[in-house]
Amino acid sequence: MAAGLAPLQVQLFTPECCKLRTNRSHIIMKILGIEFAPLDVPLERRLQTFAVFQWTFSFLFLGFGCLFLFLYVLIATNYYYIPLLYALYYYFDSGRSERGGRRINWIRRWKIWTHFANYFPLEIVKTTNLDPDKNYIMGLHPHGVLSVSAFGNFATEGTGWSKKFPGLTPYLMVLAGHFQFPMYRDYFMAGGAVAVTSNSMIHILTKHKSGQALGLVVGGALEALEANPGQYNLKLKNRKGFIKIALKTGKPVHTVFGKPIDVSKTESPSQEQLDQLHKQYIDALTQLFEEHKEKYGVPADHHLNIID
């Protein structure tokens, strides 16, 4: 193709079920209406795609897959003693997800998580220094469909958490149901995931040394239903449980990754105190969004919508 000419498109196979076409030097395979990636995609990009694929597959199917394997080995093989031993271990370890989990830094630093982060890419935008002598509750907004950034930033080293925030130990707070699946629970905890319960939060904030950072998707799973292009809907108006935890433990409430809000320890916070700190949090979150939105392609006339 000569320089300056329009892109050339050539159909090499006449059946619609299988054809190749070239477009700006990319060769794209289309089979049964499915358009596959160009054949000349760089290896690095293929590794990034694989990393995201395996994570999505794990998120959707690994839990039930581990459960079915557990039952199969127990019922249909001569190795039934293995799941029985694991069941005994699970009985004594079932509350681990509410006691800080069991992270394995080696797994957090797997190279595949760097490929995972680079696919999108994910990036930690640091707007302030955080004192490692304090603990933090970090609100993550919005939930999105799969909370990709929450996982990449808090459950892996793919975005370089330890370099951005030295001295802070991150935790990804997720639904307790994740830790009901055998083996999958251990894999998930290895990255730093813990149960999103009040007991779990209080334990980390009071029983561990300072420098703990809880990543909390405040809007919860229901906020995923509000994930629409061009809209920034946050289920935050009545979400005050994390405010209560912050007041009870005396730790800062943190807007990701903005300036912390220092609070005084209050054993029995009043409704007025809850409402006041909740409003302060929303105001700080809104300000952070407005200050940085246009840097990342969000139009100036788009704003946060705080919903029930």
Side-chain angles (χ1 to χ4, degrees):
M1 185 187 301
L5 293 180
L8 177 66
Q9 181 169 312
V10 180
Q11 182 171 305
L12 300 178
F13 295 91
T14 54
E16 285 296 319
C17 67
C18 181
K19 68 181 181 180
L20 288 170
R21 64 181 174 86
T22 62
N23 186 8
R24 294 183 180 176
S25 79
H26 290 305
I27 303 176
I28 301 176
M29 177 70 77
K30 189 172 185 179
I31 301 177
L32 298 177
I34 300 176
E35 192 171 274
F36 291 85
L39 299 179
D40 58 347
V41 169
L43 176 61
E44 174 64 21
R45 188 58 176 172
R46 290 191 181 278
L47 291 174
Q48 294 170 7
T49 304
F50 173 76
V52 174
F53 168 78
Q54 67 81 28
W55 175 79
T56 306
F57 182 87
S58 299
F59 183 85
L60 296 176
F61 304 113
L62 186 59
F64 285 104
C66 288
L67 177 60
F68 292 148
L69 176 63
F70 179 90
L71 295 176
Y72 172 79
V73 175
L74 177 66
I75 297 172
T77 76
N78 293 325
Y79 299 100
Y80 58 88
Y81 56 88
I82 295 179
L84 287 179
L85 288 173
Y86 184 90
L88 183 63
Y89 151 77
Y90 178 87
Y91 175 79
F92 289 102
D93 194 62
S94 59
R96 174 63 61 179
S97 64
E98 289 190 313
R99 298 195 302 270
R102 186 186 296 105
R103 73 181 55 240
I104 301 176
N105 287 325
W106 171 69
I107 292 180
R108 287 178 53 85
R109 294 190 176 98
W110 278 352
K111 182 65 175 178
I112 196 171
W113 302 129
T114 302
H115 294 309
F116 172 84
N118 290 340
Y119 174 86
F120 299 97
L122 301 179
E123 179 186 10
I124 291 178
V125 180
K126 183 177 178 180
T127 63
T128 186
N129 292 322
L130 300 181
D131 185 356
D133 291 329
K134 295 182 178 181
N135 291 334
Y136 300 89
I137 300 175
M138 296 181 170
L140 310 181
H141 308 273
H143 183 287
V145 177
L146 292 178
S147 290
V148 172
S149 63
F151 177 86
N153 290 327
F154 283 81
T156 81
E157 281 292 327
T159 55
W161 171 279
S162 60
K163 294 180 180 179
K164 291 277 189 177
F165 301 110
L168 291 184
T169 302
Y171 296 84
L172 177 62
M173 312 212 72
V174 299
L175 293 176
H178 285 285
F179 305 103
Q180 305 301 315
F181 295 100
M183 297 172 286
Y184 172 75
R185 65 185 291 274
D186 302 283
Y187 175 59
F188 208 6
M189 283 194 293
V194 293
V196 60
T197 64
S198 59
N199 289 337
S200 176
M201 297 176 70
I202 291 174
H203 178 90
I204 295 172
L205 294 174
T206 60
K207 303 299 183 182
H208 290 230
K209 62 180 183 180
S210 59
Q212 312 304 313
L214 278 60
L216 175 65
V217 185
V218 180
L222 289 177
E223 194 174 76
L225 302 177
E226 302 293 335
N228 300 305
Q231 297 183 19
Y232 305 92
N233 300 324
L234 304 184
K235 294 187 73 67
L236 184 58
K237 187 177 294 184
N238 295 317
R239 301 289 173 123
K240 302 180 183 179
F242 71 108
I243 299 293
K244 189 173 184 179
I245 295 294
L247 287 169
K248 279 188 172 183
T249 60
K251 309 311 174 190
V253 177
H254 186 81
T255 56
V256 179
F257 285 96
K259 184 179 179 181
I261 302 172
D262 289 316
V263 298
S264 300
K265 185 174 181 178
T266 307
E267 291 292 344
S268 301
S270 66
Q271 186 62 48
E272 182 181 358
Q273 289 173 310
L274 290 175
D275 293 341
Q276 181 180 1
L277 186 56
H278 184 256
K279 181 180 183 302
Q280 188 177 357
Y281 179 87
I282 292 178
D283 291 343
L285 177 64
T286 302
Q287 180 181 354
L288 187 68
F289 179 80
E290 294 296 331
E291 287 179 356
H292 295 276
K293 64 181 181 182
E294 292 185 60
K295 299 177 185 177
Y296 303 100
V298 178
D301 60 347
H302 284 209
H303 307 285
L304 290 181
N305 299 317
I306 309 301
I307 60 178
D308 293 333

